[in-house]
């Protein structure tokens, strides 16, 4: 999870303990606890210069450290996102990732097939989980900016993207390198085609969307740890 505001409701829900200094001098933070006999760890990107770190660089660092030091059976990249009113999305909707996660703002001239620029990194097949938990499914795309240029929007639409965030592509890249199963869980804070300034909508809805994210993640953890314990 990127921001403390996104992670706090879930940390408090399970009473997870902050393991200070676990990752050494880097700002990445670890919260952990035992749920139904299994270890649950929440890794946040931490803070620098007094603000939460967001984006691909910090997500790449945190995911690499988490895999090498915690050896997870599965990574759940949980966070907030933008979505499209035209697709039926509403503020507070929660989605599981469907299909590969891709980048929408990397344009590499000598890459006609988009192998490097788009990425298209695999995610765990969450269709059954979504059906069982009554959660929506959508393809997630990642960029390094909160806003969305026309060029980015054209790529998102062309590739069937439904959710826009700033970390999932980086997490998915690292997970693919280490062959670690990944599910992305995204709660909608803003509607890209809703006509409102993104930052204002994001700030207004962050708390509500983070609580919706907590509720969805609680269902997912129950599903993975208790209801379907043989999955991992």
């Amino acid at each position: 999870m990127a921001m403390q505001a996104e992670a706090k409701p879930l940390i408090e829900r399970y009473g997870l303990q902050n393991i200070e200094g676990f990752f050494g001098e880097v700002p990445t933070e670890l919260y952990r606890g035992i749920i139904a006999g299994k270890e649950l760890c929440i890794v946040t990107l931490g803070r620098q210069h007094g603000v939460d770190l967001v984006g691909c660089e910090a997500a790449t660092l945190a995911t690499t450290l988490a895999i090498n030091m915690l050896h997870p059976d599965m990574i759940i990249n949980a966070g907030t996102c933008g979505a499209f009113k035209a697709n039926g999305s509403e503020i507070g909707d929660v989605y599981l990732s469907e299909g590969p996660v891709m980048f929408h703002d990397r344009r590499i001239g000598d890459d006609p097939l988009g192998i490097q620029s788009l990425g298209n990194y695999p995610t765990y097949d969450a269709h059954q989980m979504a059906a069982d938990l009554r959660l929506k499914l959508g393809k997630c795309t990642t960029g390094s900016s909160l806003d969305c240029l026309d060029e980015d929007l054209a790529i998102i639409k062309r590739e069937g993207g439904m959710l826009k965030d700033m970390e999932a592509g980086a997490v998915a890249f690292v997970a693919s390198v280490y062959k670690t199963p990944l599910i992305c869980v995204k709660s909608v804070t803003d509607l890209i085609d809703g006509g409102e300034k993104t930052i204002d909508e994001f700030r207004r809805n962050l708390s509500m969307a983070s609580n919706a994210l907590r509720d969805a993640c609680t269902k997912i953890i129950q599903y993975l740890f208790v209801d379907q314990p043989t999955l991992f």
Side-chain angles (χ1 to χ4, degrees), residues 84 86-87 102 104 141 150-162 192-193:
F84 294 91
N87 291 334
M102 55 166 279
H104 61 251
T141 79
D150 290 342
E151 294 92 330
D152 303 336
L153 190 59
I155 293 173
I156 293 171
K157 289 184 175 180
R158 185 190 73 206
E159 300 294 327
M162 293 179 62
I192 300 166
D193 55 349

Side-chain angles (χ1 to χ4, degrees), residues 95-173:
Y95 287 80
L96 299 183
S97 50
E98 181 177 35
V101 178
M102 55 166 279
F103 292 101
H104 61 251
D105 66 347
R106 297 200 307 186
R107 290 171 283 277
I108 302 173
D110 191 22
D111 185 22
L113 299 180
I115 295 171
Q116 282 293 329
S117 53
L118 296 180
N120 278 320
Y121 306 112
T123 60
Y124 181 81
D125 185 350
H127 283 82
Q128 188 60 55
M129 185 186 302
D132 291 342
L133 300 180
R134 298 182 180 180
L135 294 172
K136 294 184 175 183
L137 288 163
K139 182 170 183 175
C140 185
T141 79
T142 294
S144 293
S145 298
L146 186 65
D147 63 9
C148 191
L149 301 179
D150 290 342
E151 294 92 330
D152 303 336
L153 190 59
I155 293 173
I156 293 171
K157 289 184 175 180
R158 185 190 73 206
E159 300 294 327
M162 293 179 62
L163 314 170
K164 172 189 173 295
D165 87 331
M166 296 180 65
E167 290 88 23
V171 176
F173 161 67

Side-chain angles (χ1 to χ4, degrees), residues 3-41:
M3 301 175 65
Q4 189 70 17
E6 296 169 325
K8 184 179 179 181
L10 195 59
I11 291 170
E12 292 179 345
R13 165 66 178 81
Y14 288 107
L16 304 183
Q17 299 300 307
N18 180 211
I19 311 301
E20 295 185 10
F22 183 84
F23 294 111
E25 295 182 357
V26 301
T28 308
E29 295 186 346
L30 172 65
Y31 300 81
R32 73 197 316 175
I34 302 298
I35 311 298
K38 298 182 180 181
E39 187 173 42
L40 173 66
C41 296

Side-chain angles (χ1 to χ4, degrees), residues 167-181:
E167 290 88 23
V171 176
F173 161 67
V174 178
S176 73
V177 170
Y178 287 96
K179 297 179 173 58
T180 304

